[in-house]
Amino acid sequence: MGRAPCCDKANMKKGPWSTEEDSKLREYIEKYGTGGNWIALPQKAGLKRCGKSCRLRWLNYLRPNIKHGEFTDEEDRIICSLFATIGSRWSIIAAQLPGRTDNDIKNYWNTKLKKKLMAMSMTSQPHRKPPPFPSSHHTPSVSFPSLSSLYKDCTTYQDPTRSFTAFEPVSSVQADLLNNGNTTLPTNSSLIHTPEALVNYMQYYPVKENFLMFGSESSCTSSDGSSGHISFGREMKQENMSHFQGFCATNGYEDNHNFMLNPGTNNGGKNVNQWAEKPREYNLENDLEDFKRLISSSSNNCCNNNFIDENKTQEKVMYFYY
DNA sequence: AAACACCGCAACCGCGTAGGA
DNA sequence: CTCCTACGCGGTTGCGGTGTT
């Protein structure tokens, strides 16, 4: 037995919104507000739309002060940095960018920014042989060089209840979680103040499909990855923080070949907090110089001037190999 | 000029969760 | 405590626009 639909879809209009619908919705909300009830709103406003659809239209398009158009370099930097820190928590990222919606940022990331980062990675490491690029619903993997370009200042971001710093594990709670996994945390690993520290930090990231992993495992088909939302604005729950276990899941890659592959709390009934053998060997030491070079070469530019023409390098930018 | 391919964005879908009954 | 409803989120889809052949 399936989930009950949120509304009677048979009588609901779908697809693009007309200007008439837009103005109806805007006028109603400006006059009466949402009333805290999106389900009832469309009927009151005289719209043949699902409440969810109205909400989305309002939040993503009609709401005042919505910013459309080009993202600035600063916005790029914030997005990348936060993505590296917390993964695909678009609503949280959007909260740091006034006027931007989570949908906007998500689209921007998927269609442009990710490619920019990949392109930059390729220009930085042209000798690398490309592996297959993960499909779009796979974990959003951020390459190290791209992060290095964003690294420069460990920006601190705010949310309603706390602040956190890019590359900083978002909560100390994870230390407890990790210790439960028979691992010893590197002490004082929560902040990275130098490029070298960042490189060292990389040793603690799990690896999947030859990609370094940052933030959450958000492979996220809706059935396996969307659990454990971070409840910013409310007290953080411990299980929610398990997404961040990937930040420092071992006491050193040389000592521990296990990697946290599924840091989520629920993986569709499959293994939870599963430890698995490191999928492949990699020579981090050989890459250190590359990483450092990338850091120094790109630390002053975020996702901008160093980017190559994505249209002309599509073959390249679809791959990144570390 | 037409056909095809690609891209970007708006919108939809389904799930997890909060909160009230 | 359980159930139910609505909300919010993140992943995915589909369409229209643009570029390429």
Side-chain angles (χ1 to χ4, degrees):
Chain A
M1 184 170 161
R3 181 188 179 87
C6 68
C7 53
D8 180 12
K9 289 189 166 35
N11 296 321
M12 293 296 167
K13 184 169 182 279
K14 289 171 69 174
W17 281 65
S18 66
T19 51
E20 187 188 354
E21 288 177 308
D22 279 347
S23 52
K24 270 188 181 178
L25 181 60
R26 186 186 290 113
E27 281 171 22
Y28 181 87
I29 292 179
E30 282 173 354
K31 205 169 178 181
Y32 304 106
T34 65
N37 187 347
W38 285 106
I39 300 297
L41 189 147
Q43 193 179 8
K44 292 177 183 173
L47 290 163
K48 287 186 185 303
R49 289 277 183 175
C50 172
K52 290 177 79 166
S53 180
C54 292
R55 175 183 163 271
L56 212 62
R57 185 65 179 172
W58 173 254
L59 292 177
N60 289 340
Y61 197 80
L62 299 174
R63 189 163 49 113
N65 303 323
I66 288 288
K67 209 192 289 180
H68 286 111
E70 284 294 296
F71 280 69
T72 65
D73 292 342
E74 176 65 11
E75 287 175 317
D76 281 0
R77 196 178 67 80
I78 292 172
I79 293 168
C80 295
S81 187
L82 281 171
F83 186 91
T85 307
I86 63 174
S88 55
R89 299 290 179 263
W90 304 117
S91 60
I92 297 169
I93 295 172
Q96 308 302 325
L97 299 172
R100 300 294 187 184
T101 68
D102 55 350
N103 208 36
D104 241 7
I105 294 168
K106 179 172 57 179
N107 283 332
Y108 180 59
W109 171 264
N110 285 330
T111 58
K112 292 179 184 172
L113 199 48
K114 191 163 66 178
K115 290 173 188 173
K116 282 184 180 179
L117 295 175
M118 296 300 175
M120 204 172 84
S121 302
M122 284 307 298
T123 54
S124 301
Q125 301 191 348
H127 59 288
R128 297 298 188 183
K129 181 186 172 185
F133 193 77
S135 60
S136 61
H137 62 277
H138 270 146
T139 302
S141 304
V142 180
S143 64
F144 178 82
S146 63
L147 288 169
S148 69
S149 71
L150 302 160
Y151 156 70
K152 64 183 178 186
D153 60 357
C154 278
T155 307
T156 297
Y157 299 101
Q158 303 292 329
D159 71 67
T161 57
R162 63 183 297 282
S163 65
F164 57 94
T165 301
F167 297 112
E168 171 195 4
V170 177
S171 169
S172 60
V173 171
Q174 60 184 299
D176 299 332
L177 294 169
L178 290 168
N179 285 333
N180 289 340
N182 294 324
T183 59
T184 304
L185 286 173
T187 57
N188 197 24
S189 64
S190 62
L191 290 170
I192 305 167
H193 294 291
T194 67
E196 287 73 20
L198 181 58
V199 169
N200 291 334
Y201 206 65
M202 293 301 300
Q203 297 174 8
Y204 299 106
Y205 283 89
V207 175
K208 183 181 179 182
E209 294 178 0
N210 303 342
F211 283 78
L212 290 165
M213 304 282 295
F214 292 86
S216 66
E217 159 86 18
S218 52
S219 59
C220 295
T221 59
S222 54
S223 62
D224 67 1
S226 58
S227 62
H229 292 157
I230 304 160
S231 302
F232 287 98
R234 301 184 187 94
E235 185 179 1
M236 274 194 167
K237 291 164 68 176
Q238 183 163 347
E239 58 266 33
N240 289 339
M241 296 317 302
S242 61
H243 278 289
F244 299 96
Q245 289 177 335
F247 276 99
C248 36
T250 78
N251 59 347
Y253 76 101
E254 288 179 327
D255 299 327
N256 189 339
H257 286 214
N258 290 329
F259 282 75
M260 184 69 83
L261 291 183
N262 293 302
T265 55
N266 180 356
N267 198 13
K270 296 176 184 174
N271 295 334
V272 174
N273 293 343
Q274 175 187 27
W275 290 88
E277 284 299 308
K278 186 166 67 175
R280 62 180 274 270
E281 292 298 324
Y282 59 99
N283 191 343
L284 187 60
E285 275 186 42
N286 289 348
D287 289 341
L288 284 179
E289 288 309 310
D290 286 348
F291 290 161
K292 288 177 183 176
R293 201 162 51 240
L294 281 160
I295 290 168
S296 60
S297 68
S298 59
S299 60
N300 291 327
N301 295 298
C302 168
C303 325
N304 47 18
N305 298 334
N306 291 338
F307 291 138
I308 56 179
D309 184 334
E310 62 185 78
N311 294 324
K312 293 176 181 171
T313 58
Q314 191 171 0
E315 281 293 311
K316 286 184 179 179
V317 302
M318 291 307 292
Y319 301 103
F320 172 67
Y321 194 73
Y322 79 88

